[in-house]
Amino acid sequence: MNTNAAASGEFEYFDCQPAREDARAELLRALRATPKSVPAKYFYDQRGSELFEVITRLPEYYLTRTEMGLFERHATEIAEVVGRDCALVEYGSGSSAKVRRLLETARPTAYVPVDISREHLEQTARELHLDFPWLNVYPTCADITTEFELPAPVQELDKVGFFPGSSIGNFDPEIAAAFLKNVAATLGRGSHLILGVDRKKDASILEAAYNDTAGVTAAFNLNLLNNLSSLLQAEFAPENFDHYAHYDAAKGCIAMFLEATVEHEVVVGDERIHFDAGERLHTENSYKYDPDELEEVARAGSYEPVDMWTDAQQLFSVFVLRAQ
Ligand code: AVJ
Protein backbone atom coordinates (compact mmCIF):
# COMPACT_ATOMS: atom_id res chain seq x y z
CA MET A 1 0.00 0.00 0.00
CA ASN A 2 1.22 3.46 -0.83
CA THR A 3 0.84 5.17 2.52
CA ASN A 4 2.06 8.50 1.17
CA ALA A 5 -0.77 8.64 -1.33
CA ALA A 6 -3.21 7.69 1.40
CA ALA A 7 -1.97 10.50 3.59
CA SER A 8 -1.99 13.20 0.92
CA GLY A 9 -5.03 15.17 2.03
CA GLU A 10 -4.47 18.89 2.36
CA PHE A 11 -5.17 20.97 5.42
CA GLU A 12 -5.75 24.68 5.10
CA TYR A 13 -7.51 27.12 7.39
CA PHE A 14 -9.71 29.86 5.89
CA ASP A 15 -10.62 32.92 7.89
CA CYS A 16 -13.89 34.77 7.34
CA GLN A 17 -14.34 35.50 11.03
CA PRO A 18 -16.63 38.48 11.59
CA ALA A 19 -14.86 41.62 12.76
CA ARG A 20 -15.01 42.35 16.47
CA GLU A 21 -16.45 45.78 15.68
CA ASP A 22 -19.39 44.20 13.82
CA ALA A 23 -20.09 41.93 16.76
CA ARG A 24 -19.98 44.90 19.11
CA ALA A 25 -22.45 46.89 17.03
CA GLU A 26 -24.80 43.93 16.66
CA LEU A 27 -24.72 43.21 20.39
CA LEU A 28 -25.29 46.81 21.43
CA ARG A 29 -28.29 47.08 19.11
CA ALA A 30 -29.79 43.91 20.63
CA LEU A 31 -29.10 45.04 24.21
CA ARG A 32 -30.59 48.51 23.70
CA ALA A 33 -33.83 47.09 22.31
CA THR A 34 -36.94 46.20 24.31
CA PRO A 35 -37.11 43.33 25.07
CA LYS A 36 -33.35 42.72 25.24
CA SER A 37 -31.87 39.83 23.32
CA VAL A 38 -28.55 38.38 22.20
CA PRO A 39 -28.19 36.25 19.03
CA ALA A 40 -27.63 32.59 19.95
CA LYS A 41 -24.37 32.40 18.00
CA TYR A 42 -22.70 34.31 20.86
CA PHE A 43 -22.93 31.22 23.08
CA TYR A 44 -20.02 29.69 21.25
CA ASP A 45 -16.83 31.09 22.65
CA GLN A 46 -14.28 28.40 23.57
CA ARG A 47 -15.94 27.65 26.93
CA GLY A 48 -19.43 27.75 25.41
CA SER A 49 -18.45 25.28 22.70
CA GLU A 50 -17.07 22.96 25.40
CA LEU A 51 -20.22 23.28 27.51
CA PHE A 52 -22.38 22.52 24.48
CA GLU A 53 -20.45 19.29 24.00
CA VAL A 54 -21.24 18.35 27.59
CA ILE A 55 -24.91 19.11 26.88
CA THR A 56 -24.90 16.68 23.95
CA ARG A 57 -24.07 13.85 26.39
CA LEU A 58 -26.67 14.72 29.05
CA PRO A 59 -29.32 12.08 29.78
CA GLU A 60 -32.13 14.64 29.24
CA TYR A 61 -30.69 15.91 25.95
CA TYR A 62 -32.03 13.14 23.68
CA LEU A 63 -31.30 15.12 20.48
CA THR A 64 -27.69 14.20 19.78
CA ARG A 65 -27.84 10.49 20.52
CA THR A 66 -31.13 10.10 18.64
CA GLU A 67 -29.70 11.87 15.59
CA MET A 68 -26.51 9.79 15.79
CA GLY A 69 -28.68 6.68 15.86
CA LEU A 70 -30.38 7.83 12.65
CA PHE A 71 -27.04 8.57 10.95
CA GLU A 72 -25.87 5.11 11.99
CA ARG A 73 -29.02 3.32 10.86
CA HIS A 74 -29.14 5.10 7.50
CA ALA A 75 -25.39 5.41 6.94
CA THR A 76 -25.45 3.70 3.55
CA GLU A 77 -28.36 5.74 2.17
CA ILE A 78 -26.81 8.98 3.43
CA ALA A 79 -23.43 8.05 1.98
CA GLU A 80 -25.08 7.58 -1.41
CA VAL A 81 -26.41 11.12 -1.22
CA VAL A 82 -22.94 12.43 -0.45
CA GLY A 83 -21.09 10.49 -3.13
CA ARG A 84 -17.36 10.37 -3.74
CA ASP A 85 -16.03 13.37 -5.60
CA CYS A 86 -17.68 16.11 -3.65
CA ALA A 87 -16.98 18.64 -0.96
CA LEU A 88 -19.00 18.10 2.18
CA VAL A 89 -19.76 21.48 3.77
CA GLU A 90 -20.85 21.38 7.41
CA TYR A 91 -22.64 24.43 8.79
CA GLY A 92 -21.81 25.05 12.46
CA SER A 93 -19.48 22.07 12.71
CA GLY A 94 -18.68 22.40 16.44
CA SER A 95 -16.75 19.30 17.51
CA SER A 96 -17.19 17.61 14.08
CA ALA A 97 -18.29 14.48 15.97
CA LYS A 98 -21.37 13.72 13.87
CA VAL A 99 -19.65 13.87 10.52
CA ARG A 100 -17.05 11.19 11.22
CA ARG A 101 -19.24 8.23 10.41
CA LEU A 102 -20.37 9.97 7.24
CA LEU A 103 -16.80 10.68 6.15
CA GLU A 104 -15.83 7.05 6.70
CA THR A 105 -18.74 5.73 4.69
CA ALA A 106 -18.98 8.31 1.92
CA ARG A 107 -15.28 9.24 1.54
CA PRO A 108 -15.81 12.65 -0.08
CA THR A 109 -12.88 14.56 -1.63
CA ALA A 110 -13.02 17.45 0.78
CA TYR A 111 -14.58 18.43 4.07
CA VAL A 112 -15.30 22.07 4.89
CA PRO A 113 -16.26 22.54 8.54
CA VAL A 114 -17.68 26.05 8.97
CA ASP A 115 -17.93 27.46 12.48
CA ILE A 116 -17.88 30.80 14.26
CA SER A 117 -15.79 29.47 17.19
CA ARG A 118 -12.29 29.92 15.79
CA GLU A 119 -9.99 28.17 18.26
CA HIS A 120 -12.39 25.30 18.70
CA LEU A 121 -12.73 24.93 14.92
CA GLU A 122 -8.99 24.86 14.28
CA GLN A 123 -8.37 22.38 17.06
CA THR A 124 -11.14 19.94 16.13
CA ALA A 125 -10.37 20.19 12.40
CA ARG A 126 -6.71 19.31 13.07
CA GLU A 127 -7.71 16.32 15.18
CA LEU A 128 -10.08 15.20 12.46
CA HIS A 129 -7.41 15.51 9.79
CA LEU A 130 -5.12 13.23 11.83
CA ASP A 131 -7.85 10.59 11.78
CA PHE A 132 -8.69 11.11 8.08
CA PRO A 133 -5.28 11.75 6.49
CA TRP A 134 -6.61 11.06 2.95
CA LEU A 135 -9.21 13.81 3.23
CA ASN A 136 -8.76 17.45 2.18
CA VAL A 137 -9.85 19.47 5.20
CA TYR A 138 -10.55 23.19 4.85
CA PRO A 139 -11.83 24.62 8.14
CA THR A 140 -13.54 27.95 7.54
CA CYS A 141 -14.23 30.37 10.34
CA ALA A 142 -17.39 32.26 9.45
CA ASP A 143 -20.78 33.35 10.74
CA ILE A 144 -23.12 30.99 8.89
CA THR A 145 -25.93 33.54 9.15
CA THR A 146 -24.04 35.87 6.80
CA GLU A 147 -22.83 35.32 3.26
CA PHE A 148 -19.31 33.95 3.07
CA GLU A 149 -17.13 32.41 0.38
CA LEU A 150 -16.28 28.75 0.26
CA PRO A 151 -12.55 27.96 0.20
CA ALA A 152 -11.06 28.27 -3.30
CA PRO A 153 -9.97 24.59 -3.49
CA VAL A 154 -13.59 23.37 -3.30
CA GLN A 155 -15.24 25.93 -5.55
CA GLU A 156 -15.12 23.70 -8.63
CA LEU A 157 -16.31 20.57 -6.79
CA ASP A 158 -19.89 19.38 -6.38
CA LYS A 159 -21.07 20.39 -2.95
CA VAL A 160 -23.19 18.59 -0.35
CA GLY A 161 -24.42 20.45 2.72
CA PHE A 162 -24.57 19.00 6.21
CA PHE A 163 -26.51 20.85 8.91
CA PRO A 164 -27.14 18.48 11.80
CA GLY A 165 -28.16 18.95 15.42
CA SER A 166 -31.37 20.90 14.79
CA SER A 167 -29.32 24.08 14.71
CA ILE A 168 -31.80 25.30 12.11
CA GLY A 169 -34.17 25.57 15.08
CA ASN A 170 -32.26 28.64 16.25
CA PHE A 171 -33.79 30.66 13.41
CA ASP A 172 -37.37 31.88 13.29
CA PRO A 173 -39.07 29.99 10.42
CA GLU A 174 -38.86 32.93 7.93
CA ILE A 175 -35.18 33.40 8.76
CA ALA A 176 -34.66 29.64 8.42
CA ALA A 177 -36.11 29.81 4.89
CA ALA A 178 -33.87 32.77 4.03
CA PHE A 179 -30.89 30.88 5.47
CA LEU A 180 -31.71 27.83 3.33
CA LYS A 181 -31.94 30.01 0.21
CA ASN A 182 -28.50 31.30 0.97
CA VAL A 183 -27.15 27.77 1.45
CA ALA A 184 -28.76 26.66 -1.82
CA ALA A 185 -27.14 29.59 -3.64
CA THR A 186 -23.75 28.77 -2.12
CA LEU A 187 -23.87 25.01 -2.72
CA GLY A 188 -25.52 25.20 -6.13
CA ARG A 189 -28.64 24.03 -7.93
CA GLY A 190 -29.35 20.32 -7.59
CA SER A 191 -27.04 19.95 -4.59
CA HIS A 192 -28.21 18.02 -1.55
CA LEU A 193 -28.49 19.15 2.04
CA ILE A 194 -28.60 16.68 4.92
CA LEU A 195 -30.53 18.37 7.69
CA GLY A 196 -31.16 17.21 11.27
CA VAL A 197 -34.30 18.60 12.92
CA ASP A 198 -35.83 18.12 16.36
CA ARG A 199 -39.52 17.22 16.37
CA LYS A 200 -42.47 18.56 18.31
CA LYS A 201 -43.31 16.37 21.29
CA ASP A 202 -44.58 16.44 24.86
CA ALA A 203 -43.55 19.76 26.45
CA SER A 204 -42.23 17.98 29.56
CA ILE A 205 -39.65 16.08 27.46
CA LEU A 206 -38.63 19.28 25.68
CA GLU A 207 -38.40 21.32 28.85
CA ALA A 208 -36.33 18.65 30.63
CA ALA A 209 -33.82 18.74 27.76
CA TYR A 210 -33.22 22.46 28.40
CA ASN A 211 -33.38 22.30 32.21
CA ASP A 212 -31.06 19.40 32.98
CA THR A 213 -30.62 18.43 36.60
CA ALA A 214 -26.81 18.72 36.41
CA GLY A 215 -27.20 22.40 35.53
CA VAL A 216 -25.05 22.29 32.40
CA THR A 217 -27.59 24.12 30.25
CA ALA A 218 -27.80 26.81 32.92
CA ALA A 219 -24.00 27.11 32.89
CA PHE A 220 -24.05 27.26 29.08
CA ASN A 221 -26.66 30.02 29.13
CA LEU A 222 -24.89 31.98 31.88
CA ASN A 223 -21.53 31.64 30.11
CA LEU A 224 -22.95 33.91 27.42
CA LEU A 225 -22.44 36.75 29.91
CA ASN A 226 -18.72 36.01 30.03
CA ASN A 227 -18.53 36.19 26.25
CA LEU A 228 -20.49 39.47 26.30
CA SER A 229 -18.10 40.87 28.88
CA SER A 230 -15.15 39.94 26.74
CA LEU A 231 -16.60 41.21 23.43
CA LEU A 232 -17.93 44.45 24.92
CA GLN A 233 -15.16 44.99 27.48
CA ALA A 234 -17.79 45.17 30.19
CA GLU A 235 -18.73 43.31 33.35
CA PHE A 236 -21.91 41.31 32.91
CA ALA A 237 -22.17 39.44 36.22
CA PRO A 238 -23.45 35.83 36.00
CA GLU A 239 -24.41 36.00 39.71
CA ASN A 240 -27.03 38.63 38.80
CA PHE A 241 -28.94 36.28 36.49
CA ASP A 242 -30.84 32.98 36.50
CA HIS A 243 -31.27 30.50 33.68
CA TYR A 244 -34.84 30.23 32.40
CA ALA A 245 -36.12 27.96 29.60
CA HIS A 246 -39.67 27.03 28.69
CA TYR A 247 -41.63 25.61 25.76
CA ASP A 248 -43.65 28.24 23.92
CA ALA A 249 -46.38 26.07 22.40
CA ALA A 250 -47.83 28.92 20.31
CA LYS A 251 -44.52 29.48 18.51
CA GLY A 252 -43.43 25.85 18.70
CA CYS A 253 -40.07 26.59 20.25
CA ILE A 254 -38.08 26.33 23.41
CA ALA A 255 -37.35 29.91 24.46
CA MET A 256 -34.35 30.53 26.63
CA PHE A 257 -33.61 33.61 28.73
CA LEU A 258 -31.28 35.03 31.34
CA GLU A 259 -33.43 36.56 34.04
CA ALA A 260 -31.99 39.38 36.13
CA THR A 261 -32.41 38.52 39.81
CA VAL A 262 -31.68 42.10 40.98
CA GLU A 263 -32.02 45.54 39.41
CA HIS A 264 -28.61 46.61 38.15
CA GLU A 265 -26.67 48.37 35.40
CA VAL A 266 -23.81 47.24 33.23
CA VAL A 267 -21.43 49.87 31.87
CA VAL A 268 -20.60 49.38 28.19
CA GLY A 269 -18.29 52.05 26.80
CA ASP A 270 -20.03 55.34 27.46
CA GLU A 271 -23.48 53.90 28.02
CA ARG A 272 -25.27 51.97 30.75
CA ILE A 273 -27.43 48.93 30.11
CA HIS A 274 -30.14 48.86 32.75
CA PHE A 275 -31.74 45.62 33.97
CA ASP A 276 -34.87 45.63 36.12
CA ALA A 277 -35.22 42.87 38.70
CA GLY A 278 -37.03 40.04 36.89
CA GLU A 279 -36.22 41.43 33.43
CA ARG A 280 -35.43 38.75 30.87
CA LEU A 281 -32.69 38.83 28.31
CA HIS A 282 -33.69 36.51 25.45
CA THR A 283 -30.79 34.26 24.47
CA GLU A 284 -32.17 31.49 22.27
CA ASN A 285 -35.12 30.05 20.41
CA SER A 286 -35.02 26.40 19.51
CA TYR A 287 -37.87 25.64 17.09
CA LYS A 288 -39.28 22.13 16.86
CA TYR A 289 -40.82 20.93 13.60
CA ASP A 290 -43.24 18.23 12.59
CA PRO A 291 -42.08 16.85 9.23
CA ASP A 292 -44.79 18.64 7.22
CA GLU A 293 -43.88 21.96 8.85
CA LEU A 294 -40.21 21.48 8.05
CA GLU A 295 -41.06 20.63 4.46
CA GLU A 296 -42.90 23.91 4.19
CA VAL A 297 -39.86 25.83 5.45
CA ALA A 298 -37.63 23.85 3.06
CA ARG A 299 -39.81 24.77 0.07
CA ALA A 300 -39.86 28.41 1.14
CA GLY A 301 -36.07 28.12 1.23
CA SER A 302 -35.98 26.78 -2.36
CA TYR A 303 -35.32 23.18 -1.33
CA GLU A 304 -37.33 20.14 -2.34
CA PRO A 305 -37.65 17.34 0.25
CA VAL A 306 -36.17 14.09 -1.08
CA ASP A 307 -36.05 11.77 1.92
CA MET A 308 -36.79 11.73 5.63
CA TRP A 309 -35.98 9.33 8.43
CA THR A 310 -37.18 9.34 12.00
CA ASP A 311 -36.63 7.17 15.09
CA ALA A 312 -39.22 4.79 16.54
CA GLN A 313 -40.21 7.32 19.22
CA GLN A 314 -40.46 10.10 16.61
CA LEU A 315 -38.18 12.36 18.60
CA PHE A 316 -35.95 13.60 15.79
CA SER A 317 -35.80 13.60 12.01
CA VAL A 318 -33.11 13.67 9.37
CA PHE A 319 -34.03 15.13 5.98
CA VAL A 320 -32.37 14.99 2.61
CA LEU A 321 -33.27 18.10 0.61
CA ARG A 322 -32.35 19.09 -2.94
CA ALA A 323 -31.69 22.70 -3.97
CA GLN A 324 -34.09 23.86 -6.70
C1 AVJ B 1 -27.19 23.65 18.92
C2 AVJ B 1 -29.01 25.13 18.67
C3 AVJ B 1 -29.34 22.81 18.35
O1 AVJ B 1 -31.19 24.36 20.48
O2 AVJ B 1 -30.88 22.37 21.26
C4 AVJ B 1 -28.75 23.23 23.72
C5 AVJ B 1 -28.36 24.57 21.55
N1 AVJ B 1 -29.23 25.30 23.77
N2 AVJ B 1 -29.20 23.53 24.93
C6 AVJ B 1 -30.45 23.44 20.81
C7 AVJ B 1 -28.77 24.36 22.98
C8 AVJ B 1 -29.47 24.79 24.97
C9 AVJ B 1 -28.95 23.58 20.60
N3 AVJ B 1 -28.62 23.81 19.15
Side-chain angles (χ1 to χ4, degrees):
M1 190 177 80
N2 184 337
T3 49
N4 283 336
S8 65
E10 294 182 338
F11 183 95
E12 197 179 340
Y13 170 75
F14 289 83
D15 195 6
C16 310
Q17 194 181 34
R20 224 184 156 82
E21 278 321 297
D22 296 349
R24 228 186 126 85
E26 180 177 43
L27 284 169
L28 275 172
R29 232 181 298 121
L31 288 169
R32 284 182 197 128
T34 312
K36 295 180 177 66
S37 67
V38 172
K41 65 191 176 197
Y42 290 103
F43 279 130
Y44 302 95
D45 63 357
Q46 177 71 12
R47 176 85 186 124
S49 296
E50 288 164 10
L51 283 167
F52 179 67
E53 275 176 49
V54 181
I55 289 176
T56 65
R57 295 189 289 268
L58 291 170
E60 297 95 335
Y61 198 78
Y62 60 86
L63 289 80
T64 311
R65 60 174 177 274
T66 309
E67 184 179 42
M68 289 295 268
L70 289 169
F71 289 154
E72 190 61 44
R73 182 137 58 94
H74 302 285
T76 316
E77 292 149 282
I78 297 172
E80 275 167 24
V81 170
V82 175
R84 286 253 159 157
D85 303 312
C86 75
L88 185 66
V89 180
E90 180 170 0
Y91 288 83
S93 51
S95 65
S96 284
K98 291 173 185 162
V99 80
R100 286 172 168 259
R101 176 64 210 263
L102 188 51
L103 293 172
E104 271 163 27
T105 324
R107 292 184 73 95
T109 302
Y111 172 54
V112 182
V114 184
D115 205 280
I116 196 164
S117 192
R118 183 165 171 267
E119 271 176 81
H120 194 67
L121 171 68
E122 276 209 81
Q123 181 188 318
T124 58
R126 273 189 201 287
E127 283 165 16
L128 181 124
H129 193 228
L130 290 177
D131 294 335
F132 298 85
W134 48 268
L135 181 66
N136 295 302
V137 181
Y138 305 116
T140 302
C141 182
D143 175 355
I144 61 166
T145 65
T146 66
E147 273 182 57
F148 65 93
E149 284 222 347
L150 290 179
V154 306
Q155 279 179 8
E156 299 306 313
L157 293 172
D158 284 340
K159 264 77 78 180
V160 176
F162 186 50
F163 194 33
S166 203
S167 295
I168 194 157
N170 271 171
F171 306 132
D172 288 350
E174 317 77 64
I175 309 285
F179 169 80
L180 288 176
K181 274 193 178 171
N182 213 351
V183 172
T186 305
L187 302 185
R189 232 165 193 281
S191 65
H192 288 105
L193 175 66
I194 300 156
L195 178 68
V197 184
D198 196 18
R199 296 184 62 147
K200 288 209 164 89
K201 58 184 66 64
D202 199 289
S204 64
I205 299 174
L206 289 169
E207 288 186 342
Y210 294 83
N211 290 285
D212 62 283
T213 54
V216 184
T217 308
F220 172 75
N221 197 9
L222 288 160
N223 178 65
L224 176 70
L225 298 164
N226 299 328
N227 196 25
L228 286 186
S229 295
S230 141
L231 290 168
L232 296 174
Q233 287 140 293
E235 285 177 44
F236 290 85
E239 57 275 19
N240 286 344
F241 293 88
D242 279 342
H243 164 72
Y244 176 68
H246 79 115
Y247 183 62
D248 182 333
K251 290 170 78 178
C253 71
I254 286 281
M256 214 159 83
F257 303 86
L258 287 163
E259 185 173 304
T261 51
V262 289
E263 182 183 2
H264 70 286
E265 283 185 338
V266 181
V267 178
V268 181
D270 52 15
E271 62 189 289
R272 290 163 176 276
I273 309 287
H274 180 96
F275 289 93
D276 287 324
E279 183 177 348
R280 285 176 188 163
L281 166 62
H282 179 253
T283 55
E284 183 172 45
N285 281 337
S286 191
Y287 282 85
K288 311 301 173 185
Y289 291 99
D290 286 330
D292 57 321
E293 296 172 323
L294 191 282
E295 288 180 9
E296 200 179 307
V297 172
R299 290 201 174 92
S302 66
Y303 272 98
E304 193 56 38
V306 172
D307 236 324
M308 194 276 287
W309 302 287
T310 192
D311 54 292
Q313 292 181 77
Q314 309 207 321
L315 296 173
F316 202 91
S317 44
V318 171
F319 288 83
V320 177
L321 308 175
R322 193 192 303 113
Q324 295 304 289

